[in-house]
Amino acid sequence: MKNISNRQACDKLIFALDAASYEEAMKWVELLSGHVGMFKVGKELFTALGPQIIKSIKARGQKVFLDLKFHDIPNTVARAAEAAVGLGVDMFNVHASGGSRMIQESVDAAFSCAGKLGKAKPVFLAVTVLTSLNDDDLAEIGFQGNTGELVVRLAKLAQKAGASGVVASPLDIALLRKSLGGDFIIVTPGIRGADEKAKDDQKRTLSAYEAVKEGADYIVVGRPIRKAEDPLAVCRQIVGEIEAGIAAR
Ligand code: C5P
């Protein structure tokens, strides 16, 4: 049993800033600052708006998870990782299937760049298997084994190559926690209330309480907050679930 403060629980909640415009994105940043720990900027927003959106969020003193899932030759990903550190992002990710050398060179580049710039090391995450892929999709691509086996294999590879953690489906948390130990960071999207009927396009979901209890360090939540009549009330409820989840571990 472990208790954490409300502030520490807030820090574990990452808001998926999947907005259609700069103005809309910044409205959410204004509203949710202090109620969530980080804002996740994905491919859609970053491709449309570029680094300005990161700079604007950072200028308001907020943390950013840059979710661009880099996957390229080691040198290219290492330079992209340095660029992400230069922007001051607090967390970013690559695809674990880019291989050990890609991960290792990017971790080295990112962490030494942070040192040179006098910034804190960002959390370096690896994406194992996209939750949109099932066993048939893996077979089609030419991977052997099922998604569960591949998730653990890639997570171990990422851990050995120096990544700080992984992005994982809610249903893989328990297995990953067991195979990777307590210190490896697990970030989990696909969070929905246990009693929520509309799960959008998320199928394999857990509640914030369950995900944290199973061992998630951070949870990513978008639509349940964005579509709520009272987004702050939903944030507060999720933060309460995070506190309860930690206490129940
Ligand atoms: O709106 P919702 O809570 O489903 O948002 C979850 C966020 O996490 C989205 O930005 C989505 O792109 C992202 N994500 C996900 N599942 C993954 C990886 C990322 O839902 N496997």
Side-chain angles (χ1 to χ4, degrees), residues 2 12 125 164-189 191 206-219 241-242 244-249:
K2 195 175 156 205
K12 293 179 174 294
L125 298 173
S164 330
V166 283
V167 181
S169 140
L171 302 190
D172 294 328
I173 304 171
L175 184 60
L176 284 173
R177 191 45 84 211
K178 213 162 63 186
S179 341
L180 303 168
D183 292 335
F184 205 53
I185 292 171
I186 299 178
V187 177
T188 306
I191 301 295
L206 283 188
S207 69
Y209 168 77
E210 291 165 322
V212 171
K213 184 167 163 265
E214 300 261 298
D217 295 291
Y218 296 91
I219 56 168
E241 286 189 42
I242 293 173
I246 298 266
R249 272 183 190 170

Side-chain angles (χ1 to χ4, degrees), residues 8-63:
Q8 287 169 313
C10 271
D11 288 345
K12 293 179 174 294
L13 174 57
I14 301 176
F15 178 66
L17 192 55
D18 297 323
S21 66
Y22 178 83
E23 288 70 27
E24 192 197 332
M26 291 315 293
K27 256 190 223 162
W28 282 113
V29 174
E30 296 297 339
L31 180 71
L32 299 182
S33 290
H35 298 272
V36 301
M38 230 181 275
F39 292 91
K40 181 174 87 68
V41 174
K43 285 194 172 95
E44 190 183 341
L45 200 59
F46 192 80
T47 304
L49 304 175
Q52 186 54 47
I53 185 67
I54 309 285
K55 291 178 187 158
S56 299
I57 301 170
K58 294 296 297 181
R60 280 158 181 78
Q62 300 303 302
K63 291 189 171 181

Side-chain angles (χ1 to χ4, degrees), residues 16-18 40 67 69 129-132 167 169 189-192 200-202 220-224 226:
L17 192 55
D18 297 323
K40 181 174 87 68
D67 179 19
K69 302 182 181 73
V129 179
L130 292 172
T131 45
S132 50
V167 181
S169 140
I191 301 295
R192 293 294 181 274
D200 308 304
D201 54 356
Q202 300 283 16
V220 179
V221 183
R223 284 162 292 184
R226 276 204 315 280

Side-chain angles (χ1 to χ4, degrees), residues 39-97:
F39 292 91
K40 181 174 87 68
V41 174
K43 285 194 172 95
E44 190 183 341
L45 200 59
F46 192 80
T47 304
L49 304 175
Q52 186 54 47
I53 185 67
I54 309 285
K55 291 178 187 158
S56 299
I57 301 170
K58 294 296 297 181
R60 280 158 181 78
Q62 300 303 302
K63 291 189 171 181
V64 174
F65 169 14
L66 184 62
D67 179 19
L68 296 182
K69 302 182 181 73
F70 297 135
H71 188 169
D72 211 312
I73 59 171
N75 183 60
T76 300
V77 175
R79 301 292 81 78
E82 287 171 346
V85 172
L87 283 175
V89 306
D90 302 277
M91 184 182 267
F92 72 99
N93 54 11
V94 305
H95 270 288
S97 53

Side-chain angles (χ1 to χ4, degrees), residues 94-114:
V94 305
H95 270 288
S97 53
S100 294
R101 229 184 87 212
M102 186 200 84
I103 298 172
Q104 221 161 9
E105 286 188 24
S106 320
V107 167
D108 290 348
F111 290 176
S112 69
C113 178

